[in-house]
Amino acid sequence: MQKAVEKIINDIKKLKIQGARNVAKSALTALALQISASRADGLNELYNEILGVAEKLANSRPTEPMMRNNIEDITRFALMQIKMKNVRTVGAVKKLLVEREETLLKKMDEDIAKIAEYGAKIIPENAVVITHCHSSSVTRIFKKAKEMGKNFEVIACETRPLYQGRITARELIEAKIKTTLIVDGAVNVFMKKADMCIVGADAITSRGDLINKVGTSTVAHIARMHDVSFYSAAELFKYSPLTAYGQRERIEQRAIAEIWDKPPKSLTIANPAFDATAAHYITGYITEVGIISAQSLFAIATQKLGIKIYE
Ligand code: RUB
């Protein structure tokens, strides 16, 4: 494996690259790097090399369907080219695959711009908006709303144990958006004066449930208690097709040292990275095709991903 590819995999594991979109983008970049540098002298060898790297990337963070869907697109595309014998040389297939990677990255940029637009429009004037963790989709929405001249403020939960809320807070104040950082436990106090919540998404299941940074479901429950609307900003590529077959989205369990580096020996520490928010807590998903209900996401996402159900 290429050194640069190994580095990307390690950076994803260590969260130096974080957030579903950034992870998916980096995984595509890694695949393209490996493909460009491949010394395979036959098409089967090239395909196996791609599959090997694809598997390592997909396992670098288990709860990331957006990465998996993108990787799968490339591997399926590779198989199609090779098996249909459209192109016969390794060089020609490599070129097509790198072009495919560029197309997917470009599409991601186009989709996020649409999400930003749809999301920004629903932020009411003078709103107080709560967010959790760091989602590049959510910060894009806030920046777009600012650009539209809207007056609003953001309450960002700090997001223990790795404090991604600080990344959000820094990014927003740099964009001159009024922001208050709070400890996760203070979310109920601030929900009382909130108008809406917008969080990101790592995975969306066939039932429309949202898997996002641990603590998201707490925010959603508290939002419901106060009758505050709760949105998730997500590209349709965050839908997890595995859940259509009854498989549960695997929740990544992270190192206990993230919580306490030298804990007492007999203490059990659990550190799930994500949690699930049931569909009925979600007012809507802000996607590239507009704001859609959690219940209709399955139909729309499967259409977009071109998923066929086989018997
Ligand atoms: C990040 C997180 C984000 C989603 C969406 O968790 O839960 O809300 O990934 O982000 P972590 P984006 O820091 O563990 O990766 O909108 O950028 O895809």
Side-chain angles (χ1 to χ4, degrees), residues 12 15 17-24 61 63-64 66 112 131-139 159 162-164 167 199-203 210-214 216 232-235 238 252 254 273-274:
I12 292 174
L15 251 75
I17 300 169
Q18 65 79 226
R21 296 186 72 253
N22 289 333
V23 167
R61 285 204 83 181
T63 318
E64 294 299 350
M66 187 171 192
I112 198 64
T131 191
H132 184 68
C133 196
H134 175 256
S135 152
S136 61
S137 319
V138 175
T139 55
T159 319
L162 294 180
Y163 304 104
Q164 288 93 330
I167 307 176
V199 298
D202 282 277
L210 163 70
I211 317 279
N212 192 50
K213 176 57 56 193
V214 71
T216 299
S232 166
E235 276 141 308
K238 290 183 174 174
E252 180 189 357
R254 296 194 59 88
F274 304 104

Side-chain angles (χ1 to χ4, degrees), residues 3-108:
K3 281 245 162 346
V5 176
E6 259 171 43
K7 181 171 178 341
I8 291 177
I9 292 177
N10 278 330
D11 286 352
I12 292 174
K13 283 185 185 162
K14 290 186 185 147
L15 251 75
K16 283 188 186 161
I17 300 169
Q18 65 79 226
R21 296 186 72 253
N22 289 333
V23 167
K25 278 184 161 185
S26 304
L28 277 177
T29 307
L31 259 188
L33 278 172
Q34 184 71 33
I35 292 165
S36 304
S38 171
R39 297 220 178 107
D41 57 13
L43 288 174
N44 281 342
E45 195 186 328
L46 175 68
Y47 184 60
N48 287 333
E49 188 179 328
I50 295 171
L51 282 188
V53 175
E55 198 183 333
K56 288 206 168 67
L57 281 163
N59 289 333
S60 63
R61 285 204 83 181
T63 318
E64 294 299 350
M66 187 171 192
M67 164 162 63
R68 292 201 302 264
N69 288 333
N70 275 292
I71 289 175
E72 210 178 298
D73 183 293
I74 297 277
T75 51
R76 212 182 315 127
F77 188 75
L79 186 66
M80 221 165 70
Q81 302 307 324
I82 292 167
K83 294 293 173 210
M84 288 171 69
K85 300 201 174 17
N86 284 347
V87 273
R88 288 168 192 277
T89 67
V90 170
V93 172
K94 279 166 65 172
K95 186 169 173 287
L96 280 175
L97 291 176
V98 172
E99 280 168 13
R100 181 78 186 168
E101 180 250 7
E102 286 162 0
T103 306
L104 289 171
L105 286 176
K106 189 164 164 270
K107 185 80 182 70
M108 253 189 239

Side-chain angles (χ1 to χ4, degrees), residues 211-244:
I211 317 279
N212 192 50
K213 176 57 56 193
V214 71
T216 299
S217 68
T218 314
V219 178
H221 277 81
I222 294 172
R224 173 59 57 87
M225 267 171 53
H226 295 278
D227 200 21
V228 170
S229 51
F230 181 91
Y231 291 91
S232 166
E235 276 141 308
L236 293 172
F237 249 38
K238 290 183 174 174
Y239 165 66
S240 173
L242 295 176
T243 60

Side-chain angles (χ1 to χ4, degrees), residues 139-159:
T139 55
R140 269 294 282 269
I141 290 176
F142 292 148
K143 287 180 196 169
K144 185 73 194 173
K146 176 85 185 170
E147 206 182 293
M148 288 174 171
K150 288 201 174 186
N151 184 36
F152 64 99
E153 64 176 283
V154 176
I155 311 272
C157 298
E158 65 174 355
T159 319

